[in-house]
């Protein structure tokens, strides 16, 4: 975390240094942001995603009921009435900061509803493994400072986190050595962008193109080989057997290896078994070496939603308060399944980071608390524009490795309210 004092404006009230970026899960905290004719401009250390987020023009939209502008208190009063009268409301989307998520947990408890994040489906590919058999994970900082071998597994990390390789893999300095060893980066998967893996720190780049849904097979075979099994056949998981043996030899020789994946990229049936195969390999190789997993992704505040839900209810997302106490069921309280099965009669959707986190196309009445310009396929019953944490108001957000929370700053004058305050007002009117 950066020293807050160093964040003081150097060149004027609208010039900010060491800004944390909330537009993907790795939360780079070194951006420099200044003013522009239309709002804000990323001056240094940006990427296409952060530019799209910070430079989005400020639109002071109005609350609406059935598409018509209304005062905020009218929209709040009707939202409270709908929640009060709902049989089983869903509080979904949940693209918000810690305060916003705490407010959601409170209103879900009072309103007897279900909480689920828009990106839970991907998160559950990881959660299921964590819950059933556990894993060995590292953090961005550990990986950046210690790893000599990175395996990028089936995930186009450069697209998801445009600065991941720059900040975590290609960094020339290390906390533990003045002359850190070169790194090997293995791309295990097809069509993965390798263009950002450059610089003095990079030794070898190894390309092992295989289908993402065969990575589990490869890791299972490597685990078996470590235990002394003989694998016959010329190929393993679509790769030449010699390539897999070479990968295993690299893993055995590494002083600190890291397998990195983004669960959202493993979008095929039973992908949690692929995560499990990686996790079991990590456990096996840790009997003689040092190796860890690094889960990436975490856009739209999903690590924040999962963490706050776990702190307050004892469970990750997909928790129901319908019975007056937290009840956890990862299948039953899957928001998308519930909407498809018409088990809910009201959806409150919260998306405060980007206009792209659209609510599902459902005929269930909707209350949308969204960033102005949020893409909607139909007019919601109620729309309340909210500010973006880290631009319109200050906040706290959890990084994808869930070991660090970062402060977000208010960077511009904006009348857009905090989602946490709007939700608290609705809750007060319940
Ligand atoms: S990589 Fe992610 S956190 Fe870093 S600047 Fe880009 S969008 Fe922001």
């Amino acid at each position: 975390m950066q020293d807050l004092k160093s964040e003081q404006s150097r060149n004027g009230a609208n010039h900010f240094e060491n800004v944390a970026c909330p537009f993907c899960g790795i939360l780079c905290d070194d951006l420099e942001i200044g003013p522009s004719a239309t709002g804000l401009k990323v001056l240094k250390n940006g990427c296409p995603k952060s530019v799209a987020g910070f430079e989005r023009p400020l639109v002071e939209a109005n609350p609406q009921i059935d598409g018509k502008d209304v005062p905020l208190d009218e929209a709040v009063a009707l939202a409270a009435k709908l929640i009060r009268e709902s049989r089983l409301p869903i509080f979904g989307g949940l693209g918000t900061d810690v305060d916003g998520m705490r407010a959601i947990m409170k209103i879900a408890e009072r309103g007897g509803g279900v909480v689920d994040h828009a990106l839970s489906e991907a998160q559950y590919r990881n959660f299921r493994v964590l819950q059933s058999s556990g894993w060995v994970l590292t953090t961005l900082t550990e990986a950046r400072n210690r790893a000599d071998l990175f395996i990028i597994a089936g995930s186009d990390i450069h697209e998801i986190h445009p600065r991941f390789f720059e900040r975590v893999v290609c960094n020339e300095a290390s906390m533990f050595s003045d002359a850190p060893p070169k790194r090997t980066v293995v791309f295990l998967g097809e069509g993965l962008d390798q263009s950002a893996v450059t610089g003095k720190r990079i030794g070898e780049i190894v390309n092992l193109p295989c289908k993402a849904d065969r990575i589990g097979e490869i890791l299972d075979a490597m685990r078996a080989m470590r235990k002394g099994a003989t694998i016959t056949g010329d190929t393993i998981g679509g790769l030449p057997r010699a390539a897999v043996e070479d990968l295993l030899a690299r893993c055995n020789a590494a002083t600190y290896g890291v397998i990195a994946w983004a669960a959202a990229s493993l979008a095929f049936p039973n992908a949690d078994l692929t995560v499990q195969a990686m996790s079991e390999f990590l456990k096996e190789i840790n009997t003689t070496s040092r190796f860890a997993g690094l889960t990436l992704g975490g856009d739209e505040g999903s690590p924040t939603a999962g963490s706050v839900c776990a702190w307050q209810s004892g469970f990750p997302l997909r928790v129901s308060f319908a019975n007056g106490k937290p009840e956890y069921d990862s299948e039953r309280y899957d928001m998308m399944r519930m909407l498809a099965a018409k088990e809910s009669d009201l959806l409150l959707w919260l998306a405060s980071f980007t206009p792209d986190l659209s609510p599902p196309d459902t005929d269930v009445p909707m209350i949308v608390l969204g960033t102005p310009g949020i893409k909607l396929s139909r007019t919601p019953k109620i729309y309340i524009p909210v500010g973006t944490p880290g631009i319109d108001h200050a906040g706290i957000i959890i990084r994808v490795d869930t070991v660090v929370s970062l402060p977000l700053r208010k960077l511009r004058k904006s009348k857009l309210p905090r989602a946490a305050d709007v939700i608290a007002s609705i809750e007060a009117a319940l």
Side-chain angles (χ1 to χ4, degrees):
M1 190 186 298
Q2 300 285 347
D3 179 356
L4 281 176
K5 280 187 184 157
S6 71
E7 293 183 14
Q8 293 299 321
S9 166
R10 195 181 49 181
N11 300 323
N14 294 322
H15 191 136
F16 302 91
E17 294 177 321
N18 299 318
V19 172
C21 169
F23 296 108
C24 85
I26 66 171
L27 306 185
C28 303
D29 57 358
D30 60 349
L31 277 73
E32 205 171 308
I33 309 280
S36 77
T38 53
L40 298 171
K41 183 151 190 63
V42 178
L43 302 175
K44 214 164 144 194
N45 297 332
C47 73
K49 281 175 96 163
S50 58
V51 167
F54 283 109
E55 297 189 8
R56 206 170 59 222
L58 174 61
V59 178
E60 301 277 16
N62 292 314
Q64 295 184 331
I65 294 176
D66 293 325
K68 296 201 176 65
D69 288 2
V70 295
L72 178 60
D73 51 3
E74 200 175 309
V76 163
L78 182 59
K81 179 172 182 290
L82 292 181
I83 293 170
R84 202 166 47 238
E85 292 174 356
S86 168
R87 185 175 38 82
L88 183 57
I90 293 175
F91 298 87
L94 309 186
T96 186
D97 59 0
V98 168
D99 280 356
M101 190 58 199
R102 283 192 190 280
I104 284 284
M105 295 299 289
K106 221 167 156 206
I107 198 170
E109 190 171 0
R110 284 255 339 253
V114 169
V115 292
D116 195 10
H117 192 277
L119 306 182
S120 281
E121 188 61 31
Q123 290 208 82
Y124 262 94
R125 291 173 198 143
N126 284 340
F127 286 168
R128 285 194 190 99
V129 175
L130 174 61
Q131 288 172 326
S132 64
S133 49
W135 55 15
V136 183
L137 285 192
T138 187
T139 65
L140 293 174
T141 310
E142 276 279 304
R144 171 184 162 87
N145 285 292
R146 295 191 188 277
D148 59 348
L149 171 67
F150 280 90
I151 299 173
I152 309 299
S155 311
D156 198 353
I157 302 295
H158 189 49
E159 192 194 347
I160 299 167
H161 306 297
R163 296 185 64 209
F164 172 79
F165 288 111
E166 170 207 324
R167 283 175 60 86
V168 178
V169 179
C170 305
N171 54 299
E172 287 181 21
S174 162
M175 284 168 79
F176 307 115
S177 169
D178 292 334
K182 286 192 181 291
R183 289 172 157 162
T184 299
V185 183
V186 178
F187 285 89
L188 183 61
E190 288 179 327
L192 308 182
D193 188 344
Q194 306 176 8
S195 62
V197 185
T198 56
K200 288 186 196 154
R201 192 74 195 275
I202 303 304
E204 237 183 306
I205 299 174
V206 180
N207 190 21
L208 297 176
C210 65
K211 301 264 183 233
D213 61 2
R214 302 201 70 180
I215 289 172
E217 229 175 292
I218 293 163
L219 271 292
D220 279 344
M222 286 166 53
R223 180 160 64 99
M225 285 192 273
R226 267 188 56 93
K227 287 172 170 282
T230 304
I231 309 284
T232 57
D234 295 336
T235 62
I236 299 171
L239 292 177
R241 180 154 57 89
V244 176
E245 287 170 350
D246 176 67
L247 178 57
L248 179 58
R250 290 176 187 275
C251 291
N252 287 333
T255 56
Y256 193 118
V258 168
I259 304 179
W261 71 90
S265 300
L266 306 177
F268 48 83
N270 304 315
D272 48 321
L273 297 181
T274 297
V275 176
Q276 187 161 42
M278 293 191 280
S279 299
E280 292 303 307
F281 174 76
L282 289 168
K283 286 185 208 167
E284 162 56 30
I285 198 164
N286 268 289
T287 58
T288 58
S289 183
R290 219 169 157 199
F291 232 101
L294 181 62
T295 64
L296 297 170
D299 283 7
E300 304 284 1
S302 53
T304 301
S307 297
V308 174
C309 189
W311 301 339
Q312 296 199 195
S313 74
F315 303 106
L317 298 157
R318 299 185 173 171
V319 173
S320 170
F321 292 92
N323 292 330
K325 59 183 183 353
E327 192 176 291
Y328 171 66
D329 191 319
S330 63
E331 304 290 332
R332 187 170 168 199
Y333 301 126
D334 169 351
M335 164 178 65
M336 300 309 289
R337 189 204 64 75
M338 291 179 71
L339 289 170
K342 309 265 183 231
E343 290 176 14
S344 170
D345 55 355
L346 181 68
L347 172 62
L348 183 147
W349 187 262
L350 170 55
S352 64
F353 290 112
T354 75
D356 302 322
L357 195 70
S358 306
D361 187 11
T362 173
D363 53 10
V364 167
M366 271 192 293
I367 303 165
V368 174
L369 273 55
T371 191
I374 184 170
K375 295 171 185 130
L376 301 168
S377 56
R378 59 180 78 198
T379 305
K381 184 70 192 163
I382 302 169
Y383 167 62
I384 301 177
V386 292
T388 297
I391 296 185
D392 297 308
H393 62 81
I396 301 280
I397 188 168
I398 313 279
R399 205 169 67 182
V400 67
D401 49 10
T402 66
V403 294
V404 172
S405 59
L406 288 177
L408 299 174
R409 305 185 70 191
K410 176 180 168 75
L411 303 181
R412 66 183 178 191
K413 282 189 186 150
S414 160
K415 291 187 189 138
L416 291 168
R418 295 193 319 150
D421 294 335
V422 174
I423 298 160
S425 303
I426 297 172
E427 195 218 324
L430 276 182

